[in-house]
Amino acid sequence: MVEQLRAPEAEEPGRLVLTWRVLYDADMAEEPPGRVEWTVGAAGDGLTRVRLVHGDLAFSPLTWARVKDGWVWVLDAMKTKLETGATLPPPASSTSGPEPADSPDWHRAQGVEANNACWELISQPQRSEDEQEELLRRAYAAAYHWQRARASRPENEARASYMIAKALLLTGQPEASLRAADRTLGTCLEHGLVDFDLAYAHEARARALHALGRSRAAADAWAAAQAVTVVDAEDRAIVERDLSVPPTDPPAAVGATATD
């Protein structure tokens, strides 16, 4: 049994958000509630994409460990039912117990959540001083967790540094933002990262340099961002959208999407 703690959010078609907490286990019931968001949208001709995000679990490690695989089964069961009319058998119960809250898989989940949570604040047209501080904390938290996550790759390090650069720029710290952007570009060059990550490394540098009044260097970095070839069509559309907004005063809240 789970508890819905407040009325679900459903302000827009195809999106449902509700607060979620387990009641069938006493220890899990003591943990803070999570936030479950369902999004349904078109994914092409005759195709529908269902996206499920169970977030706000940074302080609920037992809940995260015990329900993460259950959501996969729920989505698989829905797909099977729609496509075949049949149902999946109940998932086998696990006797291995929950994963430790400090496990690499747990850090990966927290890194994804912290990174995505940054965009919730970045997308706001205005932020209070408390929200500015919260943005910085989320950006550094994402980097902390990704550094310790299972299967963490150089791309994750680059994107973590990019998010820190973005957060520092939006909170009025262009010099620190440039240092983080330089780390992003350094990671790309050291590990041969090209495409999406390289474009955003140059983009972050250009915006920080512009905020510092270094117009010539900012223009060079911006040209470098525009010159990067992005192969994937979806990624290319995202990059082109963000590069359609040049460096501005105050800085624009655009940039690379969520880390996964």
Side-chain angles (χ1 to χ4, degrees), residues 105-152:
D105 283 335
W106 184 81
H107 280 295
R108 181 180 181 86
Q110 302 315 308
V112 170
E113 181 171 340
N115 185 86
N116 293 349
C118 287
W119 288 106
E120 295 176 7
L121 292 173
I122 290 173
S123 63
Q124 295 179 191
Q126 293 183 329
R127 288 171 296 277
S128 66
E129 288 187 7
D130 287 344
E131 288 171 332
Q132 296 279 68
E133 178 65 22
E134 179 66 17
L135 173 57
L136 290 170
R137 293 185 183 194
R138 293 180 185 186
Y140 281 107
Y144 172 86
H145 286 298
W146 272 112
Q147 193 175 31
R148 294 157 176 79
R150 183 181 302 282
S152 181

Side-chain angles (χ1 to χ4, degrees), residues 33 74 80 97 122 142 147 152 163 190 200 207 223 239:
V74 168
T80 300
I122 290 173
Q147 193 175 31
S152 181
M163 180 58 74
E190 179 182 356
Y200 277 111
R207 297 191 189 279
V239 172

